[in-house]
Amino acid sequence: MNFGQSLGFLAFLISLYILWQIRHLLLLVFSAIIFAVALNRLVKKLENIGWSRYQSVYLTVLSLIAIIFILVLLIFPPFIDQFQLLINALPKVPIKINELIENIAGDNYQVFETFLNNFNKIINDNNLLPAQVINNFIALFSNFLNVTFQVIFVFVLTVVFLLNPLKYRRYLLKVFPAFYRYRIDEILNKTEIAIVNWLGGILINCIFIGVLSGVGLFFLQVKLVLVHALLAGLLNFIPNIGPTLSVVFPITIAVVDSPWQIIPIIVWYFIIQNIESYWLTPKVMADKVSLLPAVTLFAQIFFATVFGLLGLLLALPLTVVVKTWMEEILFKDILDNWQLEEV
Protein backbone atom coordinates (compact mmCIF):
# COMPACT_ATOMS: atom_id res chain seq x y z
CA MET A 1 0.00 0.00 0.00
CA ASN A 2 1.57 3.28 -1.15
CA PHE A 3 1.40 6.64 0.63
CA GLY A 4 -1.67 7.83 -1.29
CA GLN A 5 -3.63 4.67 -0.53
CA SER A 6 -2.62 4.82 3.13
CA LEU A 7 -3.73 8.45 3.33
CA GLY A 8 -7.03 7.62 1.67
CA PHE A 9 -7.65 4.70 4.05
CA LEU A 10 -6.83 6.92 7.04
CA ALA A 11 -9.26 9.58 5.78
CA PHE A 12 -11.91 6.87 5.41
CA LEU A 13 -11.42 5.72 9.00
CA ILE A 14 -11.55 9.31 10.27
CA SER A 15 -14.78 9.87 8.31
CA LEU A 16 -16.34 6.76 9.87
CA TYR A 17 -15.31 7.96 13.34
CA ILE A 18 -16.86 11.41 12.74
CA LEU A 19 -20.08 9.85 11.42
CA TRP A 20 -20.25 7.63 14.51
CA GLN A 21 -19.83 10.61 16.83
CA ILE A 22 -22.66 12.53 15.14
CA ARG A 23 -24.95 9.52 14.63
CA HIS A 24 -27.79 11.02 16.70
CA LEU A 25 -27.61 14.22 14.68
CA LEU A 26 -27.77 12.15 11.50
CA LEU A 27 -30.91 10.42 12.83
CA LEU A 28 -32.55 13.81 13.36
CA VAL A 29 -31.63 14.77 9.79
CA PHE A 30 -33.10 11.47 8.59
CA SER A 31 -36.32 12.24 10.51
CA ALA A 32 -36.54 15.60 8.76
CA ILE A 33 -36.04 13.87 5.40
CA ILE A 34 -38.90 11.44 6.17
CA PHE A 35 -41.27 14.31 6.98
CA ALA A 36 -40.09 16.29 3.96
CA VAL A 37 -40.64 13.36 1.61
CA ALA A 38 -44.15 12.79 2.97
CA LEU A 39 -45.15 16.48 2.86
CA ASN A 40 -43.58 16.97 -0.57
CA ARG A 41 -46.43 14.95 -2.11
CA LEU A 42 -48.95 17.47 -0.77
CA VAL A 43 -46.78 20.37 -1.91
CA LYS A 44 -46.61 18.95 -5.45
CA LYS A 45 -50.40 18.63 -5.59
CA LEU A 46 -50.77 22.30 -4.67
CA GLU A 47 -48.18 23.22 -7.30
CA ASN A 48 -50.16 21.32 -9.92
CA ILE A 49 -53.21 23.52 -9.32
CA GLY A 50 -51.23 26.75 -9.80
CA TRP A 51 -49.64 27.58 -6.44
CA SER A 52 -45.96 28.55 -6.32
CA ARG A 53 -43.44 26.38 -4.49
CA TYR A 54 -43.13 28.74 -1.53
CA GLN A 55 -46.90 29.23 -1.24
CA SER A 56 -47.47 25.48 -1.38
CA VAL A 57 -44.87 24.81 1.32
CA TYR A 58 -46.19 27.48 3.67
CA LEU A 59 -49.81 26.38 3.19
CA THR A 60 -48.90 22.74 3.81
CA VAL A 61 -46.85 23.52 6.92
CA LEU A 62 -49.46 25.91 8.35
CA SER A 63 -52.22 23.37 7.72
CA LEU A 64 -50.20 20.68 9.49
CA ILE A 65 -49.53 22.97 12.46
CA ALA A 66 -53.24 23.86 12.65
CA ILE A 67 -54.27 20.19 12.61
CA ILE A 68 -51.75 19.31 15.33
CA PHE A 69 -52.84 22.30 17.42
CA ILE A 70 -56.52 21.31 17.19
CA LEU A 71 -55.74 17.69 18.08
CA VAL A 72 -53.65 18.82 21.05
CA LEU A 73 -56.47 21.04 22.32
CA LEU A 74 -59.05 18.28 21.96
CA ILE A 75 -57.09 15.20 22.98
CA PHE A 76 -54.04 16.25 24.99
CA PRO A 77 -55.76 17.49 28.22
CA PRO A 78 -57.93 14.36 28.76
CA PHE A 79 -55.01 12.16 27.67
CA ILE A 80 -52.71 13.73 30.31
CA ASP A 81 -55.38 13.34 33.01
CA GLN A 82 -55.97 9.70 32.15
CA PHE A 83 -52.25 8.99 31.78
CA GLN A 84 -51.63 10.41 35.25
CA LEU A 85 -54.32 8.10 36.65
CA LEU A 86 -52.63 5.18 34.89
CA ILE A 87 -49.25 6.08 36.41
CA ASN A 88 -50.83 6.35 39.87
CA ALA A 89 -52.42 2.91 39.44
CA LEU A 90 -49.17 1.08 38.61
CA PRO A 91 -47.82 0.83 42.20
CA LYS A 92 -51.11 -0.78 43.27
CA VAL A 93 -50.73 -3.70 40.85
CA PRO A 94 -48.38 -5.90 43.01
CA ILE A 95 -50.66 -5.42 46.02
CA LYS A 96 -53.74 -6.38 44.03
CA ILE A 97 -52.03 -9.44 42.56
CA ASN A 98 -51.03 -10.48 46.06
CA GLU A 99 -54.67 -10.24 47.21
CA LEU A 100 -55.94 -12.21 44.22
CA ILE A 101 -53.45 -15.01 44.75
CA GLU A 102 -54.32 -15.12 48.46
CA ASN A 103 -58.02 -15.50 47.66
CA ILE A 104 -57.42 -18.17 45.01
CA ALA A 105 -54.74 -20.17 46.79
CA GLY A 106 -56.42 -20.43 50.19
CA ASP A 107 -54.47 -22.81 52.39
CA ASN A 108 -51.65 -23.06 49.85
CA TYR A 109 -51.02 -19.33 49.98
CA GLN A 110 -47.83 -19.83 52.03
CA VAL A 111 -46.11 -21.26 48.94
CA PHE A 112 -47.17 -18.31 46.81
CA GLU A 113 -46.20 -15.88 49.56
CA THR A 114 -42.67 -17.29 49.66
CA PHE A 115 -42.45 -16.98 45.87
CA LEU A 116 -43.74 -13.38 45.96
CA ASN A 117 -41.29 -12.43 48.71
CA ASN A 118 -38.40 -13.82 46.66
CA PHE A 119 -39.70 -12.05 43.57
CA ASN A 120 -40.00 -8.74 45.44
CA LYS A 121 -36.48 -9.21 46.81
CA ILE A 122 -35.17 -9.66 43.24
CA ILE A 123 -37.00 -6.52 42.16
CA ASN A 124 -35.64 -4.53 45.10
CA ASP A 125 -32.10 -5.80 44.60
CA ASN A 126 -32.18 -4.84 40.93
CA ASN A 127 -33.79 -1.45 41.47
CA LEU A 128 -36.95 -2.40 39.55
CA LEU A 129 -39.73 -1.24 41.86
CA PRO A 130 -42.74 0.16 39.99
CA ALA A 131 -42.26 3.59 41.53
CA GLN A 132 -38.59 3.56 40.51
CA VAL A 133 -39.49 2.41 37.00
CA ILE A 134 -41.94 5.30 36.77
CA ASN A 135 -39.30 7.73 38.01
CA ASN A 136 -36.82 6.43 35.45
CA PHE A 137 -39.45 6.73 32.73
CA ILE A 138 -40.21 10.32 33.71
CA ALA A 139 -36.50 11.13 34.00
CA LEU A 140 -36.02 9.92 30.44
CA PHE A 141 -38.23 12.74 29.23
CA SER A 142 -37.39 15.27 31.90
CA ASN A 143 -34.90 17.17 29.77
CA PHE A 144 -37.61 19.27 28.15
CA LEU A 145 -35.21 21.79 26.68
CA ASN A 146 -33.23 19.14 24.80
CA VAL A 147 -36.36 17.49 23.41
CA THR A 148 -37.79 20.87 22.40
CA PHE A 149 -34.57 21.78 20.60
CA GLN A 150 -34.59 18.50 18.69
CA VAL A 151 -38.23 18.96 17.64
CA ILE A 152 -37.55 22.53 16.48
CA PHE A 153 -34.42 21.39 14.64
CA VAL A 154 -36.32 18.65 12.78
CA PHE A 155 -39.18 21.04 11.98
CA VAL A 156 -36.92 23.78 10.61
CA LEU A 157 -34.86 21.29 8.63
CA THR A 158 -38.04 19.78 7.15
CA VAL A 159 -39.19 23.21 5.95
CA VAL A 160 -35.74 23.95 4.51
CA PHE A 161 -35.74 20.66 2.58
CA LEU A 162 -39.26 21.33 1.32
CA LEU A 163 -38.45 24.80 -0.01
CA ASN A 164 -35.80 23.56 -2.41
CA PRO A 165 -35.50 19.74 -2.45
CA LEU A 166 -33.88 19.56 -5.90
CA LYS A 167 -30.90 21.60 -4.71
CA TYR A 168 -30.10 19.19 -1.88
CA ARG A 169 -30.75 16.23 -4.18
CA ARG A 170 -28.15 17.55 -6.66
CA TYR A 171 -25.59 17.94 -3.87
CA LEU A 172 -26.19 14.31 -2.86
CA LEU A 173 -25.80 13.12 -6.47
CA LYS A 174 -22.42 14.86 -6.73
CA VAL A 175 -21.05 12.46 -4.11
CA PHE A 176 -21.32 9.62 -6.64
CA PRO A 177 -19.29 9.15 -9.86
CA ALA A 178 -20.68 10.97 -12.91
CA PHE A 179 -21.45 7.76 -14.83
CA TYR A 180 -23.61 6.45 -11.94
CA ARG A 181 -25.56 9.60 -11.04
CA TYR A 182 -28.49 8.89 -13.33
CA ARG A 183 -28.89 5.46 -11.72
CA ILE A 184 -28.68 6.95 -8.21
CA ASP A 185 -31.37 9.44 -9.19
CA GLU A 186 -33.62 6.50 -10.12
CA ILE A 187 -32.89 4.82 -6.79
CA LEU A 188 -33.73 8.03 -4.92
CA ASN A 189 -37.09 8.12 -6.70
CA LYS A 190 -37.80 4.52 -5.71
CA THR A 191 -36.71 5.27 -2.14
CA GLU A 192 -39.11 8.21 -1.96
CA ILE A 193 -41.97 6.03 -3.20
CA ALA A 194 -41.07 3.30 -0.67
CA ILE A 195 -41.02 5.78 2.24
CA VAL A 196 -44.37 7.33 1.25
CA ASN A 197 -45.95 3.89 0.82
CA TRP A 198 -44.64 2.72 4.18
CA LEU A 199 -45.76 5.89 5.95
CA GLY A 200 -49.24 5.74 4.43
CA GLY A 201 -49.61 2.07 5.32
CA ILE A 202 -48.39 2.45 8.90
CA LEU A 203 -50.71 5.42 9.50
CA ILE A 204 -53.70 3.37 8.34
CA ASN A 205 -52.63 0.48 10.57
CA CYS A 206 -52.18 2.74 13.61
CA ILE A 207 -55.58 4.39 13.18
CA PHE A 208 -57.18 0.96 12.71
CA ILE A 209 -55.55 -0.45 15.85
CA GLY A 210 -56.36 2.64 17.91
CA VAL A 211 -60.04 2.74 16.90
CA LEU A 212 -60.64 -0.99 17.37
CA SER A 213 -58.85 -0.96 20.73
CA GLY A 214 -60.94 1.97 21.92
CA VAL A 215 -64.22 0.40 20.74
CA GLY A 216 -63.47 -2.95 22.37
CA LEU A 217 -62.34 -1.45 25.67
CA PHE A 218 -65.37 0.84 25.71
CA PHE A 219 -67.76 -2.12 25.48
CA LEU A 220 -65.71 -4.02 28.06
CA GLN A 221 -66.11 -0.96 30.32
CA VAL A 222 -62.38 -0.65 30.95
CA LYS A 223 -61.39 2.67 32.48
CA LEU A 224 -59.16 5.23 30.69
CA VAL A 225 -60.26 4.15 27.21
CA LEU A 226 -58.78 7.22 25.49
CA VAL A 227 -55.25 6.72 26.82
CA HIS A 228 -55.33 2.99 26.03
CA ALA A 229 -56.57 3.56 22.47
CA LEU A 230 -54.00 6.30 21.74
CA LEU A 231 -51.14 4.26 23.19
CA ALA A 232 -52.23 1.21 21.17
CA GLY A 233 -52.25 3.28 17.98
CA LEU A 234 -48.96 5.06 18.65
CA LEU A 235 -47.11 1.95 19.81
CA ASN A 236 -48.13 0.18 16.60
CA PHE A 237 -45.41 2.28 14.94
CA ILE A 238 -43.03 -0.16 16.66
CA PRO A 239 -43.91 -3.65 15.33
CA ASN A 240 -43.50 -6.70 17.57
CA ILE A 241 -42.63 -4.65 20.68
CA GLY A 242 -45.36 -1.99 20.43
CA PRO A 243 -48.44 -4.26 20.31
CA THR A 244 -47.14 -6.27 23.27
CA LEU A 245 -46.57 -3.14 25.33
CA SER A 246 -49.97 -1.68 24.43
CA VAL A 247 -51.88 -4.53 26.08
CA VAL A 248 -49.99 -4.06 29.38
CA PHE A 249 -51.71 -0.75 30.20
CA PRO A 250 -55.37 -1.90 30.04
CA ILE A 251 -54.43 -5.10 31.88
CA THR A 252 -52.85 -2.98 34.61
CA ILE A 253 -56.09 -1.06 35.10
CA ALA A 254 -58.10 -4.28 34.96
CA VAL A 255 -55.97 -5.88 37.69
CA VAL A 256 -56.61 -2.93 40.01
CA ASP A 257 -60.25 -2.30 39.08
CA SER A 258 -61.93 -5.44 37.66
CA PRO A 259 -59.79 -8.60 37.39
CA TRP A 260 -62.50 -10.39 35.38
CA GLN A 261 -61.69 -8.06 32.47
CA ILE A 262 -58.14 -9.39 32.02
CA ILE A 263 -59.04 -12.41 29.85
CA PRO A 264 -61.48 -10.48 27.58
CA ILE A 265 -58.85 -7.73 27.10
CA ILE A 266 -56.18 -10.25 26.09
CA VAL A 267 -58.60 -12.02 23.73
CA TRP A 268 -59.68 -8.72 22.15
CA TYR A 269 -56.13 -7.50 21.58
CA PHE A 270 -55.21 -10.91 20.16
CA ILE A 271 -58.11 -10.66 17.69
CA ILE A 272 -57.13 -7.10 16.70
CA GLN A 273 -53.50 -8.04 16.08
CA ASN A 274 -54.49 -11.06 13.99
CA ILE A 275 -56.88 -8.97 11.88
CA GLU A 276 -54.12 -6.39 11.41
CA SER A 277 -51.43 -8.98 10.62
CA TYR A 278 -53.36 -11.33 8.33
CA TRP A 279 -55.90 -9.03 6.68
CA LEU A 280 -55.17 -5.30 6.98
CA THR A 281 -51.39 -5.28 6.50
CA PRO A 282 -51.40 -7.55 3.40
CA LYS A 283 -54.27 -5.50 1.96
CA VAL A 284 -52.73 -2.09 2.68
CA MET A 285 -49.15 -3.06 1.88
CA ALA A 286 -49.97 -5.06 -1.24
CA ASP A 287 -47.58 -4.11 -4.05
CA LYS A 288 -45.89 -1.63 -1.68
CA VAL A 289 -43.26 -2.18 1.00
CA SER A 290 -43.16 -5.57 2.69
CA LEU A 291 -40.61 -6.62 5.28
CA LEU A 292 -40.12 -10.12 6.59
CA PRO A 293 -40.90 -10.44 10.34
CA ALA A 294 -37.38 -11.70 11.12
CA VAL A 295 -35.84 -8.77 9.22
CA THR A 296 -38.08 -6.32 11.08
CA LEU A 297 -37.16 -7.76 14.48
CA PHE A 298 -33.43 -7.84 13.67
CA ALA A 299 -33.58 -4.23 12.42
CA GLN A 300 -35.30 -3.08 15.62
CA ILE A 301 -32.71 -4.76 17.83
CA PHE A 302 -29.81 -3.50 15.73
CA PHE A 303 -30.90 0.15 15.44
CA ALA A 304 -32.03 0.28 19.08
CA THR A 305 -28.63 -1.05 20.18
CA VAL A 306 -26.69 1.37 17.99
CA PHE A 307 -28.84 4.51 18.24
CA GLY A 308 -30.97 4.00 21.36
CA LEU A 309 -34.64 4.95 21.66
CA LEU A 310 -34.63 7.16 18.55
CA GLY A 311 -33.11 4.29 16.58
CA LEU A 312 -35.93 1.99 17.72
CA LEU A 313 -38.56 4.53 16.61
CA LEU A 314 -36.89 4.99 13.21
CA ALA A 315 -35.96 1.33 12.72
CA LEU A 316 -38.63 0.63 10.09
CA PRO A 317 -38.07 3.65 7.81
CA LEU A 318 -34.32 3.07 8.07
CA THR A 319 -34.88 -0.57 7.11
CA VAL A 320 -37.09 0.45 4.18
CA VAL A 321 -34.33 2.73 2.87
CA VAL A 322 -31.60 0.11 3.37
CA LYS A 323 -33.78 -2.55 1.71
CA THR A 324 -34.43 -0.35 -1.34
CA TRP A 325 -30.76 0.55 -1.83
CA MET A 326 -29.60 -3.04 -1.34
CA GLU A 327 -32.12 -4.37 -3.85
CA GLU A 328 -31.19 -1.77 -6.46
CA ILE A 329 -27.40 -1.53 -6.03
CA LEU A 330 -26.29 -4.87 -4.58
CA PHE A 331 -28.77 -7.24 -6.21
CA LYS A 332 -29.63 -5.57 -9.54
CA ASP A 333 -26.48 -3.61 -10.38
CA ILE A 334 -23.81 -5.96 -9.00
CA LEU A 335 -25.01 -9.53 -8.44
CA ASP A 336 -27.39 -9.67 -11.45
CA ASN A 337 -24.56 -8.47 -13.70
CA TRP A 338 -22.37 -11.33 -12.48
CA GLN A 339 -25.13 -13.77 -13.38
CA LEU A 340 -25.45 -12.27 -16.89
CA GLU A 341 -21.69 -12.52 -17.42
CA GLU A 342 -21.71 -16.21 -16.48
CA VAL A 343 -24.52 -16.86 -18.98
Side-chain angles (χ1 to χ4, degrees), residues 27 35 64 80 91 106 115 117 168 239 250 266 279 330 337:
L27 275 187
F35 289 122
L64 180 64
I80 290 298
F115 170 76
N117 290 335
Y168 296 98
I266 295 175
W279 177 76
L330 179 61
N337 286 336

Side-chain angles (χ1 to χ4, degrees), residues 231-245:
L231 287 175
L234 292 174
L235 288 173
N236 199 60
F237 269 98
I238 312 174
N240 303 316
I241 302 173
T244 304
L245 288 177

Side-chain angles (χ1 to χ4, degrees), residues 198-211:
W198 168 81
L199 189 58
I202 200 70
L203 283 175
I204 294 173
N205 284 359
C206 289
I207 293 172
F208 175 84
I209 294 293
V211 171

Side-chain angles (χ1 to χ4, degrees), residues 239-240 290-303 315-316 318-320 322-323 326:
N240 303 316
S290 58
L291 297 172
L292 296 174
V295 174
T296 302
L297 183 59
F298 174 79
Q300 289 176 294
I301 296 173
F302 174 78
F303 288 116
L316 278 190
L318 284 168
T319 306
V320 168
V322 172
K323 174 179 178 288
M326 285 187 63

Side-chain angles (χ1 to χ4, degrees), residues 91 123-139:
I123 292 177
N124 289 326
D125 292 343
N126 291 278
N127 198 29
L128 295 174
L129 282 173
Q132 292 166 336
V133 173
I134 295 168
N135 291 334
N136 292 334
F137 178 80
I138 294 174

